[in-house]
């Protein structure tokens, strides 16, 4: 199987399924599908129906993760998954593409009559985006066996707790521990996902293999100067907090550009006081979001930034306080799985681009359970979290075919370290 005409047919099916799933929304005019909502229920039911049609046994756990089981029940499991929740006013491909690709791959495997000494479970997670509750990856965390019960008391914007939302969804919070896989029974977790960035398009390649899910640091930087009359204080006598902050933001850019690990850094929020057209800014608070595929380079960059910020503040007679409010470590993708995914892509006549993922994924949670591997699919203009998000049927067909090749070649559950 999986000749080029099969790829096209698989891609067309993927595109039709993504359209159908993308129509299940809180509002008709755009796609919004949050965790444990009626539209999540409808999406989960549709995914379950597709799984059954592909010949899978379907179950659903306490946090709403839909699971399609294939192959020998008592054998170790290869897990393939992604998420079916979305951000507000989302694109149709983020998450859903990976779930659809997994189902279509197993459908093709079933049609080809392939058997394996291991089982495969397709997982459709419900809480990757963290758009409803102030938590993220709670469904994959439950599957990986480290869901924190304290999260049950977190509340959404309407004051509904996660516990209450689960009960309304027909679930029992006491069943969460049963959602966890036994680590000894799991071989690996594989996720196909749209790239959500422009690299594959620029490289002219449909598929990429993820080397690591980038770690991230978020800082809040407060710069204090002295307010003054915009008309009377000479330039040489000013302590303008905004000019200091601007120079620090440029230092952030310089540090990220000098990094060899594809570091990206963003100053996305700036608050200026008093914020008046004729007053010299006295206080500025800005954020830094810094991500890298290497924790070492990320920490070095943070140290460099701290040094630079203090140097700039000293030269300008300003005060600066830096506080880190969020820190996530890099999750490397398993080398053996990267190689197997690259080989699967090479079998299809393409060169897989190896790249870090700057966005977070369920794989971060799943890495606490088992080795993970990720396949990226080119998306138009690198646009994501936006209704304009798009991956071509041809590229999605190749992604499904790559998963099929990966499974066809994956004879033994043993992975090389
Ligand atoms: Zn996603």
């Amino acid at each position: 199987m999986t000749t080029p005409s099969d790829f096209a047919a698989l891609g067309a099916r993927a595109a039709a399924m993504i359209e159908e799933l993308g129509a299940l929304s809180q509002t008709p005019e755009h796609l919004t599908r949050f965790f444990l909502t009626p539209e999540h229920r409808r999406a989960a039911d549709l995914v379950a129906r597709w799984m059954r049609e592909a010949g899978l046994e379907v179950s659903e756990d306490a946090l709403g993760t839909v699971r399609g089981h294939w192959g020998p029940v008592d054998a170790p499991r290869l897990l393939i998954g992604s998420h079916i929740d979305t951000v507000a006013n989302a694109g149709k491909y983020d998450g859903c593409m990976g779930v659809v690709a997994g189902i279509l791959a197993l459908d093709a495997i079933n049609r080809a009559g392939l058997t394996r000494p291991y089982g495969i479970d397709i997982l459709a997670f419900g809480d990757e985006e963290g758009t409803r509750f102030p938590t993220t990856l709670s469904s994959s965390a439950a599957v990986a066996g480290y869901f924190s019960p304290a999260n049950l008391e977190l509340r959404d914007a309407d004051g509904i707790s996660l516990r209450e939302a689960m009960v309304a969804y027909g679930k029992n919070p006491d069943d969460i521990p049963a959602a966890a896989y036994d680590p000894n029974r799991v071989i690996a977790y594989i996720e196909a996902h749209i790239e959500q960035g422009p690299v594959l398009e620029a490289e002219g390649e449909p598929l990429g293999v993820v080397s690591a899910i980038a770690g991230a640091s978020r800082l809040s930087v407060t710069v204090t100067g002295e307010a003054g009359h915009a008309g009377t204080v000479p330039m040489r006598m000013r302590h303008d907090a905004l000019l200091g902050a601007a120079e620090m933001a440029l230092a952030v850019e310089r540090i990220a550009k000098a990094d060899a690990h594809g570091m990206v850094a963003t100053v996305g929020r700036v608050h200026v006081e008093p914020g008046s057209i004729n007053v010299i800014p006295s206080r500025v608070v800005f954020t830094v979001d810094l991500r890298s595929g290497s924790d070492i380079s990320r920490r070095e960059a943070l140290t460099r930034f701290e040094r630079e910020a203090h140097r700039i503040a000293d030269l300008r007679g300003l005060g600066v306080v830096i506080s880190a409010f969020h820190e996530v470590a890099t999750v490397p993708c398993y080398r053996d799985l990267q190689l197997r995914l690259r080989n699967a892509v090479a079998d299809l006549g393409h060169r897989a681009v190896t790249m870090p993922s700057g966005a977070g994924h369920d794989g971060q949670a799943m890495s606490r359970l088992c080795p993970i591997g990720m396949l990226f699919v080119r998306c138009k203009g690198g646009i994501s979290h936006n209704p304009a998000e798009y991956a071509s049927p041809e590229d999605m067909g190749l992604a499904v075919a790559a998963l099929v090749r990966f499974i066809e070649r994956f004879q033994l559950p043993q992975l090389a370290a």
Side-chain angles (χ1 to χ4, degrees):
M1 70 145 301
T2 58
T3 63
S5 67
D6 293 330
F7 306 163
L10 286 169
R13 283 183 69 192
M17 289 162 81
I18 284 166
E19 283 305 311
E20 201 177 341
L21 200 47
L24 303 179
S25 172
Q26 184 192 323
T27 51
E29 62 275 16
H30 44 59
L31 172 57
T32 298
R33 192 167 58 234
F34 290 174
F35 186 36
L36 302 178
T37 56
E39 44 281 2
H40 180 198
R41 178 73 269 154
R42 298 206 301 277
D45 289 343
L46 179 60
V47 164
R49 197 190 87 209
W50 288 334
M51 286 175 170
R52 282 188 208 98
E53 286 168 1
L56 311 180
E57 280 285 318
V58 179
S59 67
E60 195 178 282
D61 70 28
L63 280 162
T65 299
V66 188
R67 303 160 177 230
H69 311 276
W70 177 89
V73 177
D74 296 328
R77 322 301 297 172
L78 175 67
L79 310 179
I80 299 176
S82 197
H83 60 97
I84 56 171
D85 64 323
T86 75
V87 296
N89 196 15
K92 296 175 188 141
Y93 298 79
D94 178 1
C96 295
M97 198 280 307
V99 173
V100 163
I103 294 171
L104 288 176
L106 279 194
D107 185 47
I109 293 277
N110 264 344
R111 283 166 198 270
L114 192 77
T115 59
R116 279 289 169 270
Y118 53 88
I120 302 176
D121 291 346
I122 306 292
L123 306 175
F125 298 113
D127 179 35
E128 194 271 349
E129 301 288 2
T131 31
R132 180 169 177 189
F133 297 98
T135 170
T136 176
L137 306 179
S138 63
S139 36
S140 39
V143 165
Y146 76 97
F147 177 86
S148 163
N151 285 349
L152 288 169
E153 310 317 322
L154 295 172
R155 288 179 189 276
D156 69 6
D158 296 324
I160 299 166
S161 70
L162 175 54
R163 180 191 298 281
E164 290 158 356
M166 283 181 69
V167 172
Y169 200 76
K171 301 295 181 186
N172 182 351
D174 294 341
D175 294 338
I176 292 175
Y181 277 87
D182 174 356
N184 299 313
R185 310 274 305 145
V186 175
I187 305 162
Y189 171 77
I190 301 293
E191 178 165 353
H193 202 284
I194 57 163
E195 182 202 340
Q196 302 182 282
V199 173
L200 289 172
E201 195 173 72
E203 295 269 344
E205 288 294 339
L207 300 175
V209 170
V210 177
S211 53
I213 302 175
S217 297
R218 287 180 179 170
L219 310 175
S220 174
V221 184
T222 303
V223 184
T224 45
E226 204 171 76
H229 194 294
T232 60
V233 184
M235 293 308 283
R236 65 187 154 78
M237 295 174 71
R238 296 185 178 203
H239 302 286
D240 185 326
L242 180 59
L243 294 182
E247 213 177 327
M248 291 172 200
L250 291 174
V252 169
E253 182 195 32
R254 207 165 47 240
I255 290 165
K257 277 184 159 174
D259 179 80
H261 295 87
M263 180 180 294
V264 286
T266 306
V267 174
R269 198 157 61 207
V270 181
H271 170 82
V272 182
E273 290 175 19
S276 193
I277 192 167
N278 59 354
V279 182
I280 298 162
S282 58
R283 184 171 178 271
V284 172
V285 182
F286 67 95
T287 56
V288 178
D289 175 301
L290 196 140
R291 306 182 193 207
S292 169
S294 156
D295 285 339
I296 294 169
S297 82
R298 183 168 49 85
R299 289 201 193 96
E300 280 172 3
L302 291 173
T303 308
R304 278 190 62 194
F305 172 68
E306 206 172 334
R307 212 184 311 134
E308 274 294 283
H310 281 105
R311 188 187 63 80
I312 292 162
D314 288 350
L315 281 173
R316 292 177 169 274
L318 303 168
V320 63
V321 175
I322 302 170
S323 62
F325 62 90
H326 170 89
E327 165 115 9
V328 177
T330 297
V331 172
C333 290
Y334 210 64
R335 279 188 179 279
D336 182 282
L337 294 170
Q338 288 184 49
L339 180 66
R340 287 169 191 261
L341 286 168
R342 265 198 299 278
N343 287 340
V345 174
D347 272 0
L348 305 172
H350 289 276
R351 176 183 65 89
V353 179
T354 301
M355 57 195 295
S357 170
H361 294 290
D362 287 298
Q364 283 166 298
M366 297 301 283
S367 71
R368 294 177 66 162
L369 174 71
C370 61
I372 67 157
M374 281 195 79
L375 184 69
F376 266 174
V377 181
R378 172 168 59 188
C379 64
K380 194 176 171 195
I383 294 166
S384 184
H385 285 188
N386 182 314
E389 196 175 83
Y390 178 78
S392 74
E394 295 74 22
D395 290 358
M396 293 193 290
L398 281 170
V400 177
L403 288 179
V404 171
R405 284 295 157 97
F406 174 88
I407 296 165
E408 283 174 343
R409 282 168 159 266
F410 201 73
Q411 299 282 353
L412 295 167
Q414 283 83 13
L415 293 176

